[in-house]
Amino acid sequence: MADYGPEYEKIRAAGADLIAISVDTIAQASAMKRDLKLPFHILCDTDRKTITAWGLVNHREREIAIPAAFIVDRDMRLRFAATEGSFTRVEPAAVTKALAELAAGRAISAMGTSRTVRPGAMFLRAAMNALARGFKSR
Amino acid sequence: MNAPRRSTDRNHDPQSGGCDDDTIATRRYDRVMDENPTPAVGAIAPAITLEDTDRRVRGLDEIAAAGYCVVVFYRGHW
């Protein structure tokens, strides 16, 4: 999760937010949030209800979560989905890149319809940075 | 001589059963551990209502309403 700390600023700049979910207790999640100085919400799915609904229960390892990352839009529709094996992680850069692509798509359509949807240099710069980083890290 | 012919055998269609009509990207690796399907791109996200580290109840719908929400599932301390 530590890698998402530095990415969070970019995610916020792109007009998005982030929540992180595991089956940890509140005490365990609080300790991680404090130790890694994580600025985003960490949610605790101790009864596994959420990871069950999302098809992300790792039955091989004490019903912990299978690492995955999604992007949900304001209508609750999934716009990005990435799941991985039990010992690998979804790269935060891939998520930021997808977010930048979504943001860029929205910016283009906003221009076309002359509606102003979160315009601004900061928004575009965040998208460009994310794209550049994404290419470099691959 | 009377070998049966299967004219409409589509069992080998590699495109079937997938959900590759997404707009951005769907990455699949070696996840085989949960028999429940993971929601695909384009689907409505299953609701999330959970306590955060301050014991405040957070809903995905309320967070996503402000814009995009990245939802990250992680292994956690175990």
Side-chain angles (χ1 to χ4, degrees):
Chain A
M1 281 318 299
D3 291 356
Y4 277 99
E7 294 287 318
Y8 186 62
E9 209 174 304
K10 284 178 230 156
I11 288 166
R12 293 297 288 161
D17 208 338
L18 182 149
I19 55 175
I21 300 168
S22 79
V23 300
D24 278 356
T25 62
I26 289 176
Q28 288 168 325
S30 298
M32 185 186 76
K33 185 173 162 71
R34 189 182 57 238
D35 293 348
L36 300 178
K37 297 182 170 62
L38 299 178
F40 42 79
H41 303 303
I42 300 180
L43 308 186
C44 303
D45 186 27
T46 46
D47 64 5
R48 275 76 170 165
K49 218 159 76 180
T50 299
I51 62 169
T52 300
W54 285 69
L56 293 168
V57 181
N58 180 345
H59 294 293
R60 289 184 193 157
E61 296 176 78
R62 297 174 33 185
E63 274 70 44
I64 60 170
I66 295 170
F70 300 86
I71 298 174
V72 178
D73 69 17
R74 64 183 70 214
D75 300 320
M76 287 290 279
R77 198 167 290 280
L78 286 159
R79 304 295 296 271
F80 173 87
T83 55
E84 296 190 5
S86 58
F87 285 95
T88 50
R89 245 171 3 97
V90 178
E91 284 296 323
V95 177
T96 318
K97 187 183 166 200
L99 197 57
E101 285 167 357
L102 284 170
R106 183 187 271 190
I108 289 160
S109 72
M111 273 182 246
T113 57
S114 78
R115 281 177 61 207
T116 49
V117 182
R118 287 186 218 283
M122 213 171 113
F123 190 60
L124 284 170
R125 197 167 59 232
M128 297 303 282
N129 284 344
L131 279 171
R133 277 178 61 97
F135 286 133
K136 260 187 235 167
S137 67
R138 287 283 153 194
Chain B
M1 185 175 161
N2 282 340
R5 287 174 61 193
R6 282 186 284 173
S7 55
T8 56
D9 188 352
R10 296 175 67 192
N11 291 341
H12 303 293
D13 181 6
Q15 300 298 315
S16 67
C19 43
D20 297 323
D21 56 338
D22 55 334
T23 48
I24 302 298
T26 301
R27 287 160 189 269
R28 288 202 194 80
Y29 296 94
D30 55 338
R31 61 172 299 274
V32 290
M33 290 164 288
D34 194 336
E35 67 281 4
N36 293 332
T38 302
V41 169
I44 298 295
I48 298 175
T49 308
L50 290 171
E51 276 187 330
D52 69 9
T53 48
D54 299 322
R55 295 186 184 276
R56 272 189 59 183
V57 176
R58 300 275 178 184
L60 173 60
D61 51 353
E62 105 204 11
I63 296 168
Y68 293 112
C69 184
V70 178
V71 182
V72 176
F73 291 87
Y74 68 101
R75 291 171 59 79
H77 180 84
W78 58 289

